[in-house]
Amino acid sequence: MLILSILFAFASSQKPAMRDFIGLNVHTVQFKPDLYKPVTSVVRDYHPVVWDLGDNASNPTTFPMSQNRVNWLELYGGWKQKGYRIDVSAQVESVVPEKWTPANEFAYGETFARYFGPSSLQPLVESVEIGNEPANFNDAQYRAMFENMVRGIRKGDPKLKIATCAVALGKNDKYSKDIACLNGLESLVDVVNVHTYPFVEGYPTWRRSYPEDPGINYLKQAGKMIEWRDSHLPGRPVWVTEFGYDSTTKPNKKTGDFAKWVGNTDEEQAKYIVRSYLLFSAMDVEKAYLYFFNDKDEPQLHGASGLTRDFKPKPSFYAVAHLQKTLGDYRFEKAVIRKQDDIYIYQYRSINKANEFIWTVWSPTGSSRTSKAVLPNPNAKIVGAEQMPLIGGPTERVPYTIGPDGLIHITIGEKPTYLFFQLDSRVGRSF
């Protein structure tokens, strides 16, 4: 608990606006930028390096064209024109380690940065990750890849931000590299990159729990990397670049690895995703990218993680779009109340109107319960309350009353409720 108590204590001036925080993982030509504008303007693209080089890393790059004829200028340029900010997860692992040499690692980094970086004539991306989950690289191979490619990037465009692949403390799993493999290269790291999922258990169920569950490693995983960052790279941002929940309408497969897989309902996915964004925003995390943008309704691990199902919005799409619309111009300010298994209240302050703030209130449980709550009065005028939606259309208003003592009486549940406040200079400061 010490880790989390430290992590939730940051002043609002250090926090990003939520519109710059709420991110989404996408994949190249499959992404439909117009469809997802309501949920985010911050995207992380899985960029297969094998598309640029073929299966041999010594092949020259031909930007803006990839070897398989994808025009990155048209693709990323189109996203930028629609207001998206792009992080590229350069999947170096798509070319087997033995095909790389120090020279072509450096060359790819240099040419990528020179073409895509902020200093180019047509800047396309803001940051690049050296690998996503390069499990096929051993630690020595990844360290060499990281150093050589980063030195090439620095030569090509020193303004391009550089992130690690998914890292963890120790051998957390086969998908994350031990951050210790980069010891001595800390000066080359601009961003520390973390993947975390709310698993209660792994194979064969891969069952996931609600995000505040104290028995899982979900928030702790990010917390450990924040502590490492504080000791080794103070001031550098930590990004959670993968988190999420699966929800499907289909029955389990009868045989195979996913016969005993356990997913979540559409409603659980929606409320747990929104609560995850809120929880990460209260930590010293600069951005959080949801996995995933779309799915094909497959009852298997990561097969039903999308905000859309066959490009049709799921309840989670409407819930995240509402989060973006409601809190996009606000930043996390403080935790008003955080009682495990009872109630969470987080306060978000408007970046444009200093007299306006919003409380997000929810039951941090996994039981679908609702309960009557009595909330403190923040010495401000409450001007409305509404609940996280699961469908499109008008948002559901939440009734409340103000008691003789000024306390707020309201029913809360696992779907976050948003309370809107305005300060009056005659009233005084907020709670």
Side-chain angles (χ1 to χ4, degrees), residues 209-336:
S209 184
Y210 62 96
E212 305 86 357
D213 186 342
I216 60 176
N217 198 40
Y218 188 43
L219 301 179
K220 298 171 188 175
Q221 170 81 348
K224 291 171 185 176
M225 291 313 306
I226 292 169
E227 283 199 328
W228 180 91
R229 184 281 315 275
D230 289 344
S231 297
H232 296 81
L233 288 171
R236 308 288 173 84
V238 172
W239 294 354
V240 174
T241 58
E242 282 191 19
F243 74 96
Y245 288 85
D246 286 306
S247 72
T248 180
T249 65
K250 293 183 178 178
N252 272 34
K253 299 177 180 181
K254 294 183 178 180
T255 60
D257 287 341
F258 302 108
K260 296 182 179 180
W261 172 83
V262 178
N264 292 100
T265 67
D266 278 358
E267 179 175 331
E268 287 173 337
Q269 186 202 38
K271 61 192 179 185
Y272 295 167
I273 284 173
V274 167
R275 281 157 49 181
S276 293
Y277 275 124
L278 298 175
L279 291 161
F280 289 131
S281 77
M283 302 173 72
D284 193 14
V285 171
E286 188 178 70
K287 296 180 183 180
Y289 293 87
L290 174 71
Y291 188 91
F292 199 36
F293 72 111
N294 183 59
D295 66 58
K296 295 182 179 179
D297 204 11
E298 298 173 286
Q300 64 184 52
L301 179 67
H302 300 312
S305 295
L307 289 177
T308 58
R309 179 179 290 134
D310 293 320
F311 296 107
K312 295 180 175 60
K314 297 164 72 171
S316 57
F317 180 96
Y318 297 113
V320 176
H322 177 263
L323 175 71
Q324 177 75 276
K325 180 180 178 181
T326 304
L327 292 184
D329 288 334
Y330 289 70
R331 58 165 55 97
F332 174 83
E333 186 168 41
K334 62 184 176 181
V336 178

Side-chain angles (χ1 to χ4, degrees), residues 367-429:
S367 59
S368 298
R369 72 181 186 186
T370 60
S371 60
K372 296 183 182 300
V374 180
L375 311 184
N377 190 316
N379 294 323
K381 180 183 178 181
I382 182 170
V383 295
E386 58 189 41
Q387 191 174 70
M388 180 201 89
L390 297 174
I391 59 175
T395 305
E396 179 183 355
R397 297 289 176 173
V398 177
Y400 60 88
T401 59
I402 307 297
D405 52 6
L407 299 180
I408 302 167
H409 296 252
I410 194 169
T411 298
I412 68 165
E414 285 199 73
K415 292 188 291 185
T417 295
Y418 300 81
L419 278 63
F420 302 83
F421 293 95
Q422 288 182 346
L423 277 172
D424 189 316
S425 59
R426 297 169 295 177
V427 174
R429 300 180 65 186

Side-chain angles (χ1 to χ4, degrees), residues 33-34 71-84 86 124:
D34 289 328
N71 187 320
W72 295 115
L73 177 58
E74 290 183 359
L75 188 75
Y76 290 158
W79 297 1
K80 279 205 66 177
Q81 288 177 0
K82 295 181 184 299
Y84 285 97
I86 304 168
L124 297 174

